[in-house]
Amino acid sequence: MTTVIERPGVPVPRPGRFAALVVVATPALREAVAYTLRALGARHVLEVSTVAEARVRAAAGVADLCIAEAGLPDGSGIALIRELRTQGWVRGIVLTTSDDPYSVRAAISAGVRSYLVSTASAGVPARPGDARGEGVDSLSAREIQVLQLVADGKSNKDIGEELGLSALTVKSHLARIARKLGTGDRAEMVVTAMRAGAVS
């Protein structure tokens, strides 16, 4: 699954103090995303499966985060995120199964500023909290640098070029980050670090 993340440059919500709207048509994936958000400290998570339902829920008030599937039964998750931004929503994540460069370009032109490639499967249940690693506080300064560049949508090669590291060294940093955060999924690593305020 490819994850496209919109980063409008606003402060990250404090742990346990953010609300989220999950707009995903596939029930298993929707439940997995909601489970992960609750494990990350979301105080309130609403789950819907269509753009129409999302608009009704969004009309009730502004939340901190919307995670929407790119292709919904009745419209585009990218367009929905852009619409919610005009209503005061502060950040959005778009999930898609396509890493087609034209789709990515369309997302960027719609206001989404970076993307991450995730290997997570909707059929794999989320790990319980006690399976997680040491946490964000255990990350080194270099690991946070690497993770920030991941959040900016950089590939391993791009990260290596920017930091003067080999691709193998970047891969090693990411493996250590995965152990410390208890997940090898790039999108989940970034969400965990953003929630803690380690990356923006």
Side-chain angles (χ1 to χ4, degrees), residues 131-198:
R132 302 197 71 78
E134 304 162 64
V136 175
D137 289 343
S138 66
L139 296 175
S140 69
R142 177 61 92 183
E143 288 163 350
I144 290 173
Q145 278 184 311
V146 169
L147 198 49
Q148 178 63 63
L149 292 172
V150 170
D152 291 338
K154 305 283 187 181
S155 68
N156 287 6
K157 181 181 176 185
D158 293 336
I159 293 169
E161 289 175 358
E162 186 150 338
L163 298 179
L165 304 172
S166 70
L168 184 60
T169 301
V170 172
K171 189 174 179 181
S172 296
H173 280 306
L174 288 170
R176 282 194 296 275
I177 292 168
R179 282 195 299 273
K180 290 179 178 180
L181 299 187
T183 176
D185 176 57
R186 291 169 81 101
E188 191 175 348
M189 287 192 291
V190 168
V191 169
T192 300
M194 287 177 74
R195 181 184 67 87

Short mmCIF file of all heavy atoms in Angstrom, two decimals, residues 131-198:
data_model
loop_
_atom_site.label_atom_id
_atom_site.label_comp_id
_atom_site.label_asym_id
_atom_site.label_seq_id
_atom_site.Cartn_x
_atom_site.Cartn_y
_atom_site.Cartn_z
N ALA A 131 3.66 -5.13 22.25
CA ALA A 131 4.64 -5.66 21.29
C ALA A 131 5.51 -4.55 20.71
O ALA A 131 6.40 -4.80 19.94
CB ALA A 131 3.91 -6.39 20.16
N ARG A 132 5.22 -3.32 21.08
CA ARG A 132 5.94 -2.19 20.50
C ARG A 132 7.35 -2.10 21.11
O ARG A 132 7.64 -2.65 22.15
CB ARG A 132 5.17 -0.90 20.72
CG ARG A 132 3.77 -0.98 20.12
CD ARG A 132 3.15 0.37 19.97
NE ARG A 132 3.79 1.12 18.91
CZ ARG A 132 3.56 0.93 17.62
NH1 ARG A 132 2.72 0.02 17.22
NH2 ARG A 132 4.17 1.66 16.72
N GLY A 133 8.23 -1.35 20.44
CA GLY A 133 9.62 -1.26 20.86
C GLY A 133 9.85 -0.23 21.96
O GLY A 133 8.96 0.09 22.73
N GLU A 134 11.07 0.30 21.98
CA GLU A 134 11.48 1.20 23.06
C GLU A 134 10.84 2.57 22.98
O GLU A 134 10.80 3.29 23.96
CB GLU A 134 13.01 1.35 23.02
CG GLU A 134 13.76 0.03 23.10
CD GLU A 134 15.19 0.17 22.62
OE1 GLU A 134 15.95 0.92 23.27
OE2 GLU A 134 15.52 -0.44 21.60
N GLY A 135 10.40 2.98 21.81
CA GLY A 135 9.71 4.26 21.67
C GLY A 135 10.56 5.35 21.05
O GLY A 135 11.77 5.20 20.85
N VAL A 136 9.89 6.47 20.76
CA VAL A 136 10.51 7.59 20.06
C VAL A 136 11.67 8.18 20.86
O VAL A 136 12.68 8.60 20.29
CB VAL A 136 9.45 8.67 19.76
CG1 VAL A 136 10.09 9.91 19.15
CG2 VAL A 136 8.39 8.11 18.81
N ASP A 137 11.55 8.19 22.18
CA ASP A 137 12.60 8.79 23.01
C ASP A 137 13.94 8.07 22.87
O ASP A 137 14.98 8.63 23.21
CB ASP A 137 12.19 8.79 24.49
CG ASP A 137 11.08 9.78 24.77
OD1 ASP A 137 10.86 10.68 23.93
OD2 ASP A 137 10.42 9.66 25.81
N SER A 138 13.92 6.82 22.39
CA SER A 138 15.17 6.06 22.26
C SER A 138 15.88 6.33 20.93
O SER A 138 16.99 5.86 20.72
CB SER A 138 14.87 4.56 22.38
OG SER A 138 14.09 4.12 21.29
N LEU A 139 15.26 7.11 20.03
CA LEU A 139 15.89 7.39 18.73
C LEU A 139 17.07 8.34 18.87
O LEU A 139 17.01 9.31 19.63
CB LEU A 139 14.87 8.01 17.77
CG LEU A 139 13.66 7.15 17.37
CD1 LEU A 139 12.69 7.96 16.52
CD2 LEU A 139 14.12 5.90 16.63
N SER A 140 18.12 8.07 18.13
CA SER A 140 19.28 8.96 18.12
C SER A 140 18.99 10.16 17.23
O SER A 140 18.02 10.17 16.46
CB SER A 140 20.51 8.23 17.58
OG SER A 140 20.35 7.96 16.19
N ALA A 141 19.84 11.18 17.31
CA ALA A 141 19.67 12.38 16.49
C ALA A 141 19.72 12.02 15.01
O ALA A 141 18.94 12.54 14.20
CB ALA A 141 20.74 13.42 16.83
N ARG A 142 20.63 11.12 14.63
CA ARG A 142 20.74 10.71 13.23
C ARG A 142 19.49 9.95 12.78
O ARG A 142 19.00 10.14 11.67
CB ARG A 142 21.98 9.84 13.04
CG ARG A 142 22.14 9.31 11.62
CD ARG A 142 22.28 10.44 10.60
NE ARG A 142 23.67 10.76 10.38
CZ ARG A 142 24.10 11.73 9.59
NH1 ARG A 142 23.23 12.48 8.94
NH2 ARG A 142 25.37 11.97 9.45
N GLU A 143 18.97 9.11 13.65
CA GLU A 143 17.75 8.35 13.31
C GLU A 143 16.56 9.29 13.12
O GLU A 143 15.73 9.09 12.23
CB GLU A 143 17.47 7.30 14.39
CG GLU A 143 18.45 6.14 14.35
CD GLU A 143 18.47 5.29 15.60
OE1 GLU A 143 17.86 5.70 16.62
OE2 GLU A 143 19.11 4.22 15.57
N ILE A 144 16.49 10.33 13.92
CA ILE A 144 15.41 11.32 13.75
C ILE A 144 15.59 12.06 12.43
O ILE A 144 14.61 12.33 11.73
CB ILE A 144 15.37 12.29 14.95
CG1 ILE A 144 14.87 11.55 16.19
CG2 ILE A 144 14.48 13.50 14.65
CD1 ILE A 144 14.94 12.33 17.47
N GLN A 145 16.84 12.37 12.08
CA GLN A 145 17.10 13.00 10.76
C GLN A 145 16.60 12.12 9.64
O GLN A 145 15.94 12.59 8.71
CB GLN A 145 18.60 13.23 10.57
CG GLN A 145 19.16 14.46 11.22
CD GLN A 145 20.65 14.62 10.86
OE1 GLN A 145 21.42 13.67 10.97
NE2 GLN A 145 21.03 15.81 10.43
N VAL A 146 16.93 10.83 9.73
CA VAL A 146 16.50 9.89 8.69
C VAL A 146 14.98 9.81 8.64
O VAL A 146 14.37 9.86 7.57
CB VAL A 146 17.11 8.49 8.95
CG1 VAL A 146 16.47 7.43 8.04
CG2 VAL A 146 18.62 8.51 8.74
N LEU A 147 14.36 9.73 9.80
CA LEU A 147 12.90 9.62 9.87
C LEU A 147 12.22 10.87 9.34
O LEU A 147 11.16 10.79 8.70
CB LEU A 147 12.48 9.32 11.31
CG LEU A 147 11.08 8.76 11.52
CD1 LEU A 147 10.79 7.58 10.61
CD2 LEU A 147 10.90 8.36 12.97
N GLN A 148 12.81 12.04 9.59
CA GLN A 148 12.23 13.28 9.05
C GLN A 148 12.25 13.26 7.52
O GLN A 148 11.29 13.68 6.87
CB GLN A 148 13.01 14.50 9.56
CG GLN A 148 12.49 15.84 9.01
CD GLN A 148 11.07 16.13 9.44
OE1 GLN A 148 10.79 16.29 10.62
NE2 GLN A 148 10.16 16.21 8.48
N LEU A 149 13.34 12.75 6.96
CA LEU A 149 13.42 12.67 5.49
C LEU A 149 12.46 11.62 4.94
O LEU A 149 11.90 11.80 3.85
CB LEU A 149 14.86 12.37 5.06
CG LEU A 149 15.84 13.53 5.34
CD1 LEU A 149 17.27 13.09 5.09
CD2 LEU A 149 15.50 14.74 4.49
N VAL A 150 12.22 10.56 5.70
CA VAL A 150 11.18 9.60 5.31
C VAL A 150 9.82 10.30 5.29
O VAL A 150 9.02 10.15 4.37
CB VAL A 150 11.16 8.38 6.27
CG1 VAL A 150 9.94 7.51 6.01
CG2 VAL A 150 12.42 7.56 6.13
N ALA A 151 9.57 11.10 6.33
CA ALA A 151 8.30 11.85 6.41
C ALA A 151 8.17 12.84 5.26
O ALA A 151 7.05 13.15 4.83
CB ALA A 151 8.22 12.60 7.74
N ASP A 152 9.30 13.32 4.74
CA ASP A 152 9.28 14.24 3.61
C ASP A 152 9.10 13.52 2.27
O ASP A 152 9.13 14.14 1.22
CB ASP A 152 10.60 15.05 3.56
CG ASP A 152 10.69 16.03 4.72
OD1 ASP A 152 9.65 16.39 5.30
OD2 ASP A 152 11.83 16.44 5.05
N GLY A 153 8.96 12.18 2.34
CA GLY A 153 8.72 11.41 1.13
C GLY A 153 9.96 11.00 0.38
O GLY A 153 9.89 10.60 -0.78
N LYS A 154 11.12 11.06 1.03
CA LYS A 154 12.38 10.72 0.37
C LYS A 154 12.58 9.21 0.31
O LYS A 154 12.22 8.49 1.24
CB LYS A 154 13.57 11.33 1.11
CG LYS A 154 13.50 12.83 1.32
CD LYS A 154 13.84 13.58 0.06
CE LYS A 154 13.93 15.08 0.33
NZ LYS A 154 14.23 15.83 -0.88
N SER A 155 13.17 8.74 -0.77
CA SER A 155 13.54 7.33 -0.89
C SER A 155 14.84 7.10 -0.11
O SER A 155 15.53 8.06 0.27
CB SER A 155 13.76 6.97 -2.36
OG SER A 155 14.91 7.64 -2.86
N ASN A 156 15.20 5.83 0.08
CA ASN A 156 16.46 5.52 0.76
C ASN A 156 17.64 6.15 0.04
O ASN A 156 18.57 6.68 0.66
CB ASN A 156 16.66 4.01 0.86
CG ASN A 156 15.74 3.37 1.89
OD1 ASN A 156 14.87 4.02 2.45
ND2 ASN A 156 15.94 2.09 2.12
N LYS A 157 17.61 6.10 -1.29
CA LYS A 157 18.69 6.69 -2.08
C LYS A 157 18.78 8.19 -1.86
O LYS A 157 19.86 8.75 -1.66
CB LYS A 157 18.46 6.38 -3.57
CG LYS A 157 19.53 6.93 -4.48
CD LYS A 157 19.22 6.62 -5.94
CE LYS A 157 20.26 7.26 -6.85
NZ LYS A 157 19.93 7.09 -8.27
N ASP A 158 17.61 8.87 -1.88
CA ASP A 158 17.59 10.32 -1.66
C ASP A 158 18.09 10.69 -0.27
O ASP A 158 18.82 11.66 -0.09
CB ASP A 158 16.16 10.87 -1.84
CG ASP A 158 15.67 10.76 -3.27
OD1 ASP A 158 16.51 10.71 -4.18
OD2 ASP A 158 14.44 10.74 -3.47
N ILE A 159 17.70 9.88 0.72
CA ILE A 159 18.13 10.13 2.10
C ILE A 159 19.65 10.00 2.19
O ILE A 159 20.33 10.84 2.80
CB ILE A 159 17.45 9.15 3.08
CG1 ILE A 159 15.94 9.44 3.14
CG2 ILE A 159 18.06 9.26 4.48
CD1 ILE A 159 15.15 8.38 3.88
N GLY A 160 20.18 8.96 1.56
CA GLY A 160 21.63 8.76 1.56
C GLY A 160 22.37 9.92 0.94
O GLY A 160 23.37 10.40 1.48
N GLU A 161 21.87 10.41 -0.20
CA GLU A 161 22.52 11.53 -0.88
C GLU A 161 22.47 12.79 -0.04
O GLU A 161 23.44 13.54 0.04
CB GLU A 161 21.85 11.77 -2.24
CG GLU A 161 22.17 10.68 -3.25
CD GLU A 161 21.40 10.84 -4.56
OE1 GLU A 161 20.59 11.79 -4.67
OE2 GLU A 161 21.61 10.01 -5.46
N GLU A 162 21.33 13.02 0.62
CA GLU A 162 21.19 14.24 1.42
C GLU A 162 22.06 14.23 2.67
O GLU A 162 22.60 15.25 3.08
CB GLU A 162 19.71 14.44 1.81
CG GLU A 162 19.46 15.74 2.52
CD GLU A 162 18.06 16.28 2.28
OE1 GLU A 162 17.42 15.91 1.28
OE2 GLU A 162 17.62 17.09 3.11
N LEU A 163 22.22 13.05 3.28
CA LEU A 163 22.99 12.95 4.52
C LEU A 163 24.42 12.46 4.32
O LEU A 163 25.17 12.32 5.28
CB LEU A 163 22.26 12.01 5.50
CG LEU A 163 20.86 12.46 5.95
CD1 LEU A 163 20.27 11.42 6.90
CD2 LEU A 163 20.92 13.83 6.61
N GLY A 164 24.80 12.17 3.06
CA GLY A 164 26.14 11.68 2.79
C GLY A 164 26.36 10.27 3.29
O GLY A 164 27.45 9.93 3.76
N LEU A 165 25.33 9.44 3.19
CA LEU A 165 25.40 8.06 3.66
C LEU A 165 25.20 7.10 2.50
O LEU A 165 24.58 7.45 1.50
CB LEU A 165 24.30 7.80 4.71
CG LEU A 165 24.27 8.70 5.94
CD1 LEU A 165 23.02 8.42 6.76
CD2 LEU A 165 25.52 8.52 6.78
N SER A 166 25.67 5.87 2.66
CA SER A 166 25.41 4.85 1.65
C SER A 166 23.98 4.34 1.83
O SER A 166 23.38 4.48 2.91
CB SER A 166 26.38 3.68 1.80
OG SER A 166 26.09 2.95 2.99
N ALA A 167 23.44 3.73 0.77
CA ALA A 167 22.08 3.17 0.85
C ALA A 167 22.02 2.10 1.93
O ALA A 167 21.01 1.96 2.63
CB ALA A 167 21.67 2.60 -0.50
N LEU A 168 23.10 1.34 2.11
CA LEU A 168 23.15 0.29 3.12
C LEU A 168 23.07 0.88 4.53
O LEU A 168 22.39 0.34 5.41
CB LEU A 168 24.42 -0.55 2.96
CG LEU A 168 24.57 -1.74 3.90
CD1 LEU A 168 23.41 -2.71 3.71
CD2 LEU A 168 25.90 -2.44 3.65
N THR A 169 23.76 2.01 4.74
CA THR A 169 23.72 2.67 6.05
C THR A 169 22.32 3.19 6.34
O THR A 169 21.82 3.08 7.47
CB THR A 169 24.75 3.82 6.11
OG1 THR A 169 26.05 3.28 5.87
CG2 THR A 169 24.72 4.51 7.47
N VAL A 170 21.67 3.77 5.33
CA VAL A 170 20.28 4.26 5.51
C VAL A 170 19.39 3.09 5.89
O VAL A 170 18.56 3.18 6.80
CB VAL A 170 19.77 4.94 4.23
CG1 VAL A 170 18.28 5.25 4.34
CG2 VAL A 170 20.56 6.21 3.96
N LYS A 171 19.57 1.95 5.20
CA LYS A 171 18.77 0.77 5.48
C LYS A 171 18.99 0.30 6.91
O LYS A 171 18.05 -0.11 7.60
CB LYS A 171 19.12 -0.34 4.48
CG LYS A 171 18.21 -1.53 4.54
CD LYS A 171 18.53 -2.52 3.42
CE LYS A 171 17.61 -3.73 3.49
NZ LYS A 171 17.93 -4.71 2.43
N SER A 172 20.24 0.37 7.38
CA SER A 172 20.56 -0.02 8.76
C SER A 172 19.89 0.91 9.76
O SER A 172 19.35 0.46 10.78
CB SER A 172 22.07 -0.01 8.98
OG SER A 172 22.69 -0.97 8.17
N HIS A 173 19.91 2.22 9.48
CA HIS A 173 19.22 3.18 10.36
C HIS A 173 17.74 2.86 10.43
O HIS A 173 17.14 2.87 11.51
CB HIS A 173 19.42 4.61 9.84
CG HIS A 173 20.74 5.21 10.20
ND1 HIS A 173 21.21 5.28 11.49
CD2 HIS A 173 21.69 5.81 9.42
CE1 HIS A 173 22.40 5.87 11.50
NE2 HIS A 173 22.71 6.20 10.26
N LEU A 174 17.13 2.58 9.28
CA LEU A 174 15.69 2.29 9.25
C LEU A 174 15.37 1.01 10.00
O LEU A 174 14.33 0.91 10.66
CB LEU A 174 15.19 2.21 7.80
CG LEU A 174 15.13 3.56 7.08
CD1 LEU A 174 14.87 3.37 5.59
CD2 LEU A 174 14.05 4.46 7.69
N ALA A 175 16.27 0.03 9.94
CA ALA A 175 16.06 -1.22 10.68
C ALA A 175 16.09 -0.96 12.19
O ALA A 175 15.27 -1.51 12.94
CB ALA A 175 17.12 -2.25 10.29
N ARG A 176 17.02 -0.10 12.63
CA ARG A 176 17.09 0.24 14.05
C ARG A 176 15.86 1.03 14.49
O ARG A 176 15.32 0.82 15.58
CB ARG A 176 18.38 1.02 14.35
CG ARG A 176 19.62 0.14 14.43
CD ARG A 176 20.79 0.87 15.06
NE ARG A 176 21.23 2.00 14.25
CZ ARG A 176 22.08 1.92 13.23
NH1 ARG A 176 22.59 0.74 12.90
NH2 ARG A 176 22.44 2.98 12.56
N ILE A 177 15.42 1.97 13.63
CA ILE A 177 14.21 2.74 13.93
C ILE A 177 13.02 1.80 14.06
O ILE A 177 12.20 1.92 14.98
CB ILE A 177 13.95 3.80 12.83
CG1 ILE A 177 15.04 4.87 12.86
CG2 ILE A 177 12.56 4.43 13.00
CD1 ILE A 177 15.04 5.79 11.64
N ALA A 178 12.93 0.83 13.15
CA ALA A 178 11.82 -0.13 13.18
C ALA A 178 11.82 -0.92 14.48
O ALA A 178 10.76 -1.13 15.09
CB ALA A 178 11.93 -1.08 11.98
N ARG A 179 13.00 -1.36 14.93
CA ARG A 179 13.07 -2.09 16.20
C ARG A 179 12.64 -1.22 17.37
O ARG A 179 11.90 -1.65 18.25
CB ARG A 179 14.50 -2.61 16.43
CG ARG A 179 14.85 -3.85 15.61
CD ARG A 179 16.11 -4.52 16.14
NE ARG A 179 17.27 -3.64 16.08
CZ ARG A 179 18.06 -3.52 15.02
NH1 ARG A 179 17.80 -4.19 13.92
NH2 ARG A 179 19.11 -2.72 15.06
N LYS A 180 13.10 0.03 17.37
CA LYS A 180 12.79 0.92 18.49
C LYS A 180 11.32 1.32 18.54
O LYS A 180 10.76 1.52 19.61
CB LYS A 180 13.67 2.17 18.41
CG LYS A 180 15.14 1.88 18.71
CD LYS A 180 16.00 3.13 18.60
CE LYS A 180 17.45 2.83 18.95
NZ LYS A 180 18.32 4.02 18.86
N LEU A 181 10.70 1.44 17.36
CA LEU A 181 9.29 1.86 17.32
C LEU A 181 8.33 0.68 17.25
O LEU A 181 7.12 0.87 17.32
CB LEU A 181 9.06 2.81 16.14
CG LEU A 181 9.86 4.11 16.16
CD1 LEU A 181 9.41 5.02 15.02
CD2 LEU A 181 9.72 4.83 17.50
N GLY A 182 8.87 -0.52 17.09
CA GLY A 182 8.02 -1.70 17.07
C GLY A 182 7.26 -1.91 15.79
O GLY A 182 6.26 -2.63 15.76
N THR A 183 7.71 -1.28 14.70
CA THR A 183 7.06 -1.47 13.41
C THR A 183 8.05 -1.21 12.29
O THR A 183 8.87 -0.30 12.38
CB THR A 183 5.85 -0.53 13.22
OG1 THR A 183 5.31 -0.72 11.90
CG2 THR A 183 6.22 0.94 13.42
N GLY A 184 7.97 -2.02 11.23
CA GLY A 184 8.81 -1.80 10.06
C GLY A 184 8.07 -1.05 8.97
O GLY A 184 8.62 -0.81 7.90
N ASP A 185 6.83 -0.66 9.23
CA ASP A 185 6.02 0.05 8.25
C ASP A 185 6.39 1.53 8.26
O ASP A 185 6.28 2.20 9.29
CB ASP A 185 4.54 -0.14 8.58
CG ASP A 185 3.64 0.65 7.66
OD1 ASP A 185 3.73 0.45 6.44
OD2 ASP A 185 2.86 1.47 8.17
N ARG A 186 6.85 2.06 7.13
CA ARG A 186 7.32 3.45 7.06
C ARG A 186 6.24 4.44 7.48
O ARG A 186 6.51 5.39 8.22
CB ARG A 186 7.83 3.76 5.65
CG ARG A 186 9.11 3.03 5.29
CD ARG A 186 9.43 3.15 3.82
NE ARG A 186 10.08 4.40 3.46
CZ ARG A 186 11.38 4.54 3.24
NH1 ARG A 186 12.18 3.52 3.39
NH2 ARG A 186 11.87 5.71 2.89
N ALA A 187 5.03 4.23 7.01
CA ALA A 187 3.94 5.16 7.35
C ALA A 187 3.67 5.17 8.84
O ALA A 187 3.51 6.22 9.46
CB ALA A 187 2.68 4.78 6.58
N GLU A 188 3.64 3.99 9.46
CA GLU A 188 3.38 3.91 10.90
C GLU A 188 4.52 4.51 11.71
O GLU A 188 4.29 5.18 12.73
CB GLU A 188 3.12 2.46 11.32
CG GLU A 188 2.58 2.35 12.74
CD GLU A 188 2.22 0.94 13.13
OE1 GLU A 188 2.16 0.05 12.25
OE2 GLU A 188 2.00 0.71 14.34
N MET A 189 5.77 4.32 11.25
CA MET A 189 6.90 4.93 11.93
C MET A 189 6.76 6.45 11.94
O MET A 189 6.97 7.11 12.97
CB MET A 189 8.22 4.55 11.25
CG MET A 189 8.65 3.13 11.49
SD MET A 189 10.37 2.78 10.96
CE MET A 189 10.25 2.87 9.19
N VAL A 190 6.37 7.01 10.78
CA VAL A 190 6.23 8.46 10.67
C VAL A 190 5.09 8.96 11.55
O VAL A 190 5.23 9.95 12.27
CB VAL A 190 6.03 8.88 9.20
CG1 VAL A 190 5.59 10.33 9.11
CG2 VAL A 190 7.31 8.67 8.42
N VAL A 191 3.93 8.27 11.53
CA VAL A 191 2.80 8.70 12.35
C VAL A 191 3.17 8.67 13.82
O VAL A 191 2.85 9.59 14.58
CB VAL A 191 1.56 7.80 12.07
CG1 VAL A 191 0.46 8.06 13.10
CG2 VAL A 191 1.04 8.05 10.68
N THR A 192 3.88 7.61 14.23
CA THR A 192 4.31 7.50 15.63
C THR A 192 5.23 8.67 16.02
O THR A 192 5.06 9.30 17.07
CB THR A 192 5.07 6.17 15.86
OG1 THR A 192 4.20 5.09 15.54
CG2 THR A 192 5.53 6.03 17.31
N ALA A 193 6.19 8.98 15.15
CA ALA A 193 7.12 10.08 15.43
C ALA A 193 6.44 11.44 15.39
O ALA A 193 6.75 12.33 16.18
CB ALA A 193 8.28 10.05 14.42
N MET A 194 5.48 11.62 14.47
CA MET A 194 4.74 12.88 14.40
C MET A 194 3.91 13.09 15.66
O MET A 194 3.84 14.18 16.22
CB MET A 194 3.82 12.89 13.18
CG MET A 194 4.58 13.05 11.86
SD MET A 194 3.49 12.98 10.42
CE MET A 194 2.71 14.58 10.52
N ARG A 195 3.27 12.01 16.12
CA ARG A 195 2.45 12.12 17.32
C ARG A 195 3.28 12.55 18.52
O ARG A 195 2.83 13.31 19.37
CB ARG A 195 1.81 10.75 17.62
CG ARG A 195 0.91 10.75 18.85
CD ARG A 195 0.39 9.35 19.15
NE ARG A 195 1.45 8.45 19.57
CZ ARG A 195 1.86 8.32 20.82
NH1 ARG A 195 1.32 9.04 21.78
NH2 ARG A 195 2.83 7.48 21.12
N ALA A 196 4.53 12.07 18.58
CA ALA A 196 5.42 12.42 19.68
C ALA A 196 6.11 13.76 19.47
O ALA A 196 6.82 14.24 20.35
CB ALA A 196 6.46 11.32 19.87
N GLY A 197 5.93 14.37 18.29
CA GLY A 197 6.56 15.65 18.03
C GLY A 197 8.01 15.57 17.60
O GLY A 197 8.71 16.57 17.54
N ALA A 198 8.49 14.35 17.28
CA ALA A 198 9.89 14.18 16.90
C ALA A 198 10.15 14.62 15.48
O ALA A 198 11.25 15.05 15.14
CB ALA A 198 10.31 12.71 17.07
#
